[in-house]
Amino acid sequence: MLVVALTGGIGSGKSTVAQNFAELGALVIDADQLARMAIERGTDGFADVLLRFGDEVILNGDIDRKKLAEIVFSDEKARKDLESIIHPRVQALFAQAVADLELDDILIYEIPLLVETGAAEKFDYVVTVESDIELRKARLLKKGLYISQIEKRMASQASEEARTAIANAVIRNDGDEDSLLRQVENLWESVLLPQSLG
Protein backbone atom coordinates (compact mmCIF):
# COMPACT_ATOMS: atom_id res chain seq x y z
CA MET A 1 0.00 0.00 0.00
CA LEU A 2 1.07 3.58 -0.57
CA VAL A 3 -0.02 6.58 1.50
CA VAL A 4 0.38 9.84 -0.43
CA ALA A 5 -0.04 13.39 0.90
CA LEU A 6 -1.56 15.82 -1.60
CA THR A 7 -1.06 19.43 -0.59
CA GLY A 8 -1.08 22.92 -2.14
CA GLY A 9 -2.22 26.43 -1.32
CA ILE A 10 -5.85 27.51 -1.32
CA GLY A 11 -7.13 27.84 -4.90
CA SER A 12 -4.31 25.76 -6.41
CA GLY A 13 -6.60 22.98 -7.65
CA LYS A 14 -5.94 20.22 -5.10
CA SER A 15 -9.53 18.98 -5.21
CA THR A 16 -9.47 18.62 -9.00
CA VAL A 17 -6.21 16.66 -8.78
CA ALA A 18 -7.66 14.49 -6.00
CA GLN A 19 -10.69 13.75 -8.19
CA ASN A 20 -8.37 12.82 -11.08
CA PHE A 21 -6.52 10.40 -8.80
CA ALA A 22 -9.85 8.91 -7.62
CA GLU A 23 -10.85 8.28 -11.25
CA LEU A 24 -7.54 6.47 -11.79
CA GLY A 25 -8.32 4.13 -8.90
CA ALA A 26 -6.93 5.80 -5.77
CA LEU A 27 -8.79 6.01 -2.49
CA VAL A 28 -9.10 9.70 -1.63
CA ILE A 29 -9.64 11.21 1.79
CA ASP A 30 -10.01 14.95 2.34
CA ALA A 31 -8.58 16.35 5.59
CA ASP A 32 -11.22 19.12 5.50
CA GLN A 33 -13.95 16.46 5.46
CA LEU A 34 -12.35 14.76 8.50
CA ALA A 35 -12.14 18.18 10.19
CA ARG A 36 -15.89 18.61 9.65
CA MET A 37 -16.55 15.15 11.11
CA ALA A 38 -14.33 15.97 14.12
CA ILE A 39 -16.63 18.81 15.23
CA GLU A 40 -20.06 17.52 14.13
CA ARG A 41 -22.96 18.06 16.50
CA GLY A 42 -22.91 15.42 19.23
CA THR A 43 -19.11 14.92 19.22
CA ASP A 44 -16.60 15.90 21.91
CA GLY A 45 -15.06 18.21 19.31
CA PHE A 46 -18.34 20.08 18.95
CA ALA A 47 -18.52 20.51 22.75
CA ASP A 48 -14.93 21.81 22.84
CA VAL A 49 -15.57 24.34 20.05
CA LEU A 50 -18.68 25.58 21.86
CA LEU A 51 -16.72 25.87 25.11
CA ARG A 52 -13.92 27.87 23.46
CA PHE A 53 -15.88 30.06 21.03
CA GLY A 54 -19.34 30.31 22.59
CA ASP A 55 -22.82 30.54 21.07
CA GLU A 56 -21.79 33.06 18.41
CA VAL A 57 -20.43 30.21 16.26
CA ILE A 58 -23.68 28.20 16.45
CA LEU A 59 -26.37 28.50 13.79
CA ASN A 60 -29.52 26.32 13.88
CA GLY A 61 -27.84 23.96 16.35
CA ASP A 62 -24.76 23.36 14.18
CA ILE A 63 -21.38 25.05 13.98
CA ASP A 64 -21.53 28.04 11.62
CA ARG A 65 -18.34 27.31 9.67
CA LYS A 66 -18.40 30.69 7.94
CA LYS A 67 -18.50 32.54 11.26
CA LEU A 68 -15.83 30.28 12.76
CA ALA A 69 -13.59 30.86 9.71
CA GLU A 70 -14.02 34.65 10.06
CA ILE A 71 -12.87 34.46 13.67
CA VAL A 72 -9.89 32.13 13.22
CA PHE A 73 -8.51 33.75 10.06
CA SER A 74 -8.32 37.13 11.77
CA ASP A 75 -7.05 35.95 15.18
CA GLU A 76 -3.88 33.83 15.39
CA LYS A 77 -4.61 32.64 18.96
CA ALA A 78 -8.15 31.58 18.05
CA ARG A 79 -6.80 29.67 15.04
CA LYS A 80 -4.25 27.82 17.18
CA ASP A 81 -6.98 26.99 19.73
CA LEU A 82 -9.24 25.59 17.01
CA GLU A 83 -6.36 23.57 15.53
CA SER A 84 -5.61 22.07 18.96
CA ILE A 85 -9.25 20.87 19.09
CA ILE A 86 -9.43 19.59 15.50
CA HIS A 87 -5.97 18.23 14.60
CA PRO A 88 -5.71 15.37 17.14
CA ARG A 89 -9.20 14.17 16.19
CA VAL A 90 -8.44 14.36 12.46
CA GLN A 91 -5.23 12.39 13.02
CA ALA A 92 -7.18 9.68 14.85
CA LEU A 93 -9.78 9.45 12.04
CA PHE A 94 -6.99 9.30 9.45
CA ALA A 95 -5.10 6.58 11.36
CA GLN A 96 -8.29 4.51 11.36
CA ALA A 97 -8.64 4.92 7.58
CA VAL A 98 -5.01 3.81 7.04
CA ALA A 99 -5.54 0.79 9.30
CA ASP A 100 -8.41 -0.32 7.05
CA LEU A 101 -6.34 -0.24 3.81
CA GLU A 102 -5.73 -3.30 1.66
CA LEU A 103 -2.17 -4.19 0.61
CA ASP A 104 -2.50 -2.91 -2.97
CA ASP A 105 -4.38 0.31 -2.11
CA ILE A 106 -3.07 3.76 -2.95
CA LEU A 107 -4.45 6.35 -0.56
CA ILE A 108 -4.34 10.02 -1.53
CA TYR A 109 -4.80 12.27 1.50
CA GLU A 110 -5.76 15.82 0.53
CA ILE A 111 -4.15 17.88 3.30
CA PRO A 112 -3.85 21.66 2.83
CA LEU A 113 -1.86 22.21 6.05
CA LEU A 114 0.84 19.57 5.51
CA VAL A 115 3.78 21.94 6.07
CA GLU A 116 2.03 23.79 8.90
CA THR A 117 1.32 20.59 10.86
CA GLY A 118 4.81 19.15 10.25
CA ALA A 119 3.23 15.90 9.07
CA ALA A 120 5.18 15.29 5.82
CA GLU A 121 7.31 12.48 7.27
CA LYS A 122 4.19 10.42 8.03
CA PHE A 123 3.66 9.81 4.30
CA ASP A 124 5.34 7.55 1.76
CA TYR A 125 5.19 10.25 -0.91
CA VAL A 126 4.29 13.96 -1.03
CA VAL A 127 2.72 15.77 -4.00
CA THR A 128 2.05 19.51 -4.04
CA VAL A 129 -0.19 21.32 -6.53
CA GLU A 130 1.10 24.81 -7.30
CA SER A 131 -0.36 27.61 -9.36
CA ASP A 132 0.26 31.28 -10.12
CA ILE A 133 -1.00 33.40 -7.21
CA GLU A 134 -3.18 35.65 -9.41
CA LEU A 135 -4.81 32.58 -10.98
CA ARG A 136 -5.49 31.21 -7.50
CA LYS A 137 -7.11 34.49 -6.45
CA ALA A 138 -9.27 34.52 -9.61
CA ARG A 139 -10.49 30.95 -8.92
CA LEU A 140 -11.38 31.81 -5.32
CA LEU A 141 -13.19 35.03 -6.32
CA LYS A 142 -15.26 32.87 -8.71
CA LYS A 143 -16.14 30.62 -5.75
CA GLY A 144 -17.58 33.63 -3.94
CA LEU A 145 -14.79 34.52 -1.51
CA TYR A 146 -13.90 38.19 -1.01
CA ILE A 147 -10.36 39.37 -1.72
CA SER A 148 -9.85 40.19 1.99
CA GLN A 149 -10.84 36.61 2.93
CA ILE A 150 -8.58 35.18 0.23
CA GLU A 151 -5.58 37.22 1.37
CA LYS A 152 -6.09 36.29 5.04
CA ARG A 153 -6.28 32.60 4.17
CA MET A 154 -3.26 32.74 1.89
CA ALA A 155 -1.30 34.57 4.59
CA SER A 156 -2.12 31.83 7.11
CA GLN A 157 -0.72 29.10 4.83
CA ALA A 158 2.86 28.05 4.13
CA SER A 159 4.61 29.51 1.09
CA GLU A 160 4.97 27.74 -2.26
CA GLU A 161 8.72 27.44 -1.50
CA ALA A 162 8.02 25.67 1.80
CA ARG A 163 5.61 23.23 0.12
CA THR A 164 7.88 22.41 -2.81
CA ALA A 165 10.81 21.91 -0.40
CA ILE A 166 9.07 18.92 1.22
CA ALA A 167 7.43 17.53 -1.94
CA ASN A 168 8.57 14.50 -3.94
CA ALA A 169 6.61 15.81 -6.95
CA VAL A 170 5.16 19.16 -8.01
CA ILE A 171 2.09 19.41 -10.25
CA ARG A 172 1.70 22.80 -11.96
CA ASN A 173 -1.87 23.97 -12.47
CA ASP A 174 -1.39 27.06 -14.64
CA GLY A 175 -2.84 25.60 -17.85
CA ASP A 176 -6.04 23.82 -18.84
CA GLU A 177 -7.64 20.73 -17.33
CA ASP A 178 -6.14 18.43 -19.98
CA SER A 179 -2.64 19.53 -19.10
CA LEU A 180 -3.42 18.97 -15.41
CA LEU A 181 -4.86 15.50 -16.05
CA ARG A 182 -1.82 14.50 -18.14
CA GLN A 183 0.50 15.40 -15.24
CA VAL A 184 -1.63 13.38 -12.80
CA GLU A 185 -1.76 10.35 -15.12
CA ASN A 186 1.98 10.50 -15.69
CA LEU A 187 2.69 10.61 -11.95
CA TRP A 188 0.21 7.77 -11.34
CA GLU A 189 1.62 5.48 -14.01
CA SER A 190 5.33 6.20 -13.68
CA VAL A 191 5.68 6.63 -9.91
CA LEU A 192 2.72 5.80 -7.70
CA LEU A 193 1.53 2.52 -9.23
CA PRO A 194 5.06 1.03 -9.42
CA GLN A 195 5.79 2.12 -5.82
CA SER A 196 2.56 0.60 -4.51
CA LEU A 197 3.40 -2.73 -6.18
CA GLY A 198 7.04 -2.62 -5.13
Side-chain angles (χ1 to χ4, degrees):
M1 82 181 88
L2 191 67
V3 183
V4 179
L6 175 65
T7 195
I10 186 170
S12 62
K14 287 182 304 300
S15 298
T16 305
V17 169
Q19 193 176 336
N20 289 340
F21 276 126
E23 285 161 7
L24 290 167
L27 294 168
V28 175
I29 296 178
D30 178 1
D32 288 341
Q33 185 60 43
L34 296 187
R36 286 190 280 276
M37 288 166 62
I39 56 171
E40 272 177 356
R41 184 169 26 178
T43 63
D44 293 348
F46 179 92
D48 285 351
V49 168
L50 188 55
L51 195 63
R52 164 60 179 86
F53 294 95
D55 287 341
E56 69 169 313
V57 298
I58 303 297
L59 181 68
N60 302 327
D62 285 315
I63 289 172
D64 181 349
R65 291 173 199 292
K66 207 170 169 186
K67 180 68 182 167
L68 191 56
E70 275 171 28
I71 294 168
V72 301
F73 285 113
S74 50
D75 178 346
E76 181 73 9
K77 168 100 173 66
R79 189 164 61 87
K80 286 205 161 34
D81 288 348
L82 181 63
E83 286 171 356
S84 72
I85 293 168
I86 290 179
H87 288 170
R89 291 174 169 89
V90 166
Q91 285 159 10
L93 289 165
F94 178 66
Q96 183 55 57
V98 171
D100 292 340
L101 289 177
E102 303 287 334
L103 274 177
D104 58 352
D105 284 339
I106 298 176
L107 174 67
I108 305 283
Y109 187 44
E110 194 182 333
I111 175 170
L113 302 179
L114 182 68
V115 173
E116 297 83 340
T117 53
E121 71 284 349
K122 294 180 182 167
F123 296 89
D124 302 315
Y125 200 84
V126 174
V127 179
T128 185
V129 183
E130 297 300 336
S131 186
D132 174 76
I133 198 153
E134 294 308 321
L135 259 179
R136 290 167 58 198
K137 286 179 182 174
R139 286 180 194 131
L140 294 165
L141 285 167
K142 244 187 222 168
K143 283 185 175 178
L145 285 174
Y146 297 113
I147 196 72
S148 60
Q149 294 172 309
I150 293 166
E151 286 173 349
K152 274 181 189 169
R153 291 182 190 200
M154 284 183 168
S156 75
Q157 292 188 333
S159 66
E160 177 174 337
E161 291 72 26
R163 286 189 298 269
T164 53
I166 60 158
N168 301 99
V170 178
I171 290 175
R172 292 290 322 171
N173 185 21
D174 298 318
D176 59 16
E177 285 190 13
D178 278 352
S179 151
L180 187 64
L181 179 58
R182 277 197 303 277
Q183 291 178 76
V184 174
E185 286 174 338
N186 184 39
L187 187 60
W188 178 259
E189 286 159 16
S190 63
V191 179
L192 302 184
L193 265 184
Q195 276 200 26
S196 74
L197 300 169

